[in-house]
Amino acid sequence: MSYVAKRTEGAAGAPLFLTFHGTGGNEGQFHGFAEQLKPGAHICSPRGDVSEHGALRYFRRTGEGVYDMDDLAARTAAMADFIRSEKKKTGAADTIGLGYSNGANILASVALAQADLVDTLILMHPLIPWEPKAQPGLKGRRILITAGKRDPICPAPLTQALVDYLAAQGADVTVHWHPGGHEIAQSEVDAVAQFIAG
């Protein structure tokens, strides 16, 4: 599976930093942010290949918060293949993934299916509206989740359920809440920078 993607070539032996945009975004949404966060890294930002009334996404849904699970499974497998190919191409030993909203959801879905592909996960406003199966491969993975306490798209109780699930798998989970909704707050940006630097 091939995606249209924006790439920045990194130094030899540098980590691979993958970014995944939200619904209606594109491959440029977080690319520059990743360059700032990890200078010298290989940066790869794939563009979602699903159009929802002209808005780019990574998988189909039938309504707000209602996923087409068959489509999600197929596109999760395709994205996993893409990530594996980028890792091989760059030779990176360490892989970081950052996704927002729909981008966080495809990244989380890949991690739930194939936990060994991405070492460090940054999930901004994720929504996993099902109960994932146990995934022992998540043990020890560093994961940051950022969310809004009043997010109408990713309700706080579902975010907390994901945090609890990841912790139960043995992941090293950090959570940052802001008081607002689905927007990205400056405090989140700061939390991501601190997490990457840590």
Side-chain angles (χ1 to χ4, degrees):
M1 176 73 194
S2 183
Y3 290 84
V4 172
K6 185 169 184 174
R7 292 179 176 86
T8 298
E9 192 174 340
L16 170 63
F17 199 145
L18 300 149
T19 80
F20 303 89
H21 62 79
T23 299
N26 61 35
E27 64 275 22
Q29 188 172 17
F30 297 107
H31 195 87
F33 183 40
E35 289 178 327
Q36 290 171 19
L37 289 169
K38 210 78 179 166
H42 302 280
I43 315 288
C44 177
S45 304
R47 179 195 298 174
D49 58 350
V50 171
S51 174
E52 183 179 271
H53 311 297
L56 294 171
R57 288 174 52 82
Y58 292 100
F59 58 88
R60 295 191 183 99
R61 60 182 173 180
T62 56
E64 191 65 67
V66 184
Y67 299 166
D68 178 333
M69 296 303 285
D70 289 340
D71 187 66
L72 175 59
R75 292 179 191 277
T76 295
M79 185 58 79
D81 287 346
F82 175 78
I83 292 171
R84 194 174 289 106
S85 165
E86 289 297 312
K87 288 177 71 167
K88 191 175 178 182
K89 209 181 294 179
T90 59
D94 186 42
T95 305
I96 303 161
L98 178 150
Y100 165 63
S101 193
N102 181 245
N105 299 336
I106 192 69
L107 178 56
S109 187
V110 167
L112 292 172
Q114 301 187 43
D116 61 321
L117 279 180
V118 182
D119 303 294
T120 302
L121 301 162
I122 299 164
L123 306 174
M124 305 171 77
H125 300 259
L127 176 64
I128 302 299
W130 74 90
E131 286 190 29
K133 295 174 186 169
Q135 176 48 277
L138 290 169
K139 187 173 183 180
R141 289 271 179 267
R142 285 185 73 231
I143 303 174
L144 171 65
I145 291 181
T146 68
K149 288 185 176 175
R150 295 181 178 83
D151 191 333
I153 294 170
C154 305
L158 283 179
T159 302
Q160 189 58 53
L162 177 60
V163 170
D164 295 344
Y165 162 81
L166 293 169
Q169 307 313 303
D172 177 6
V173 189
T174 302
V175 189
H176 175 82
W177 293 94
H178 70 73
H182 200 60
E183 74 285 354
I184 298 173
Q186 182 58 46
S187 65
E188 270 178 273
V189 174
D190 296 342
V192 170
Q194 193 176 351
F195 181 76
I196 287 291

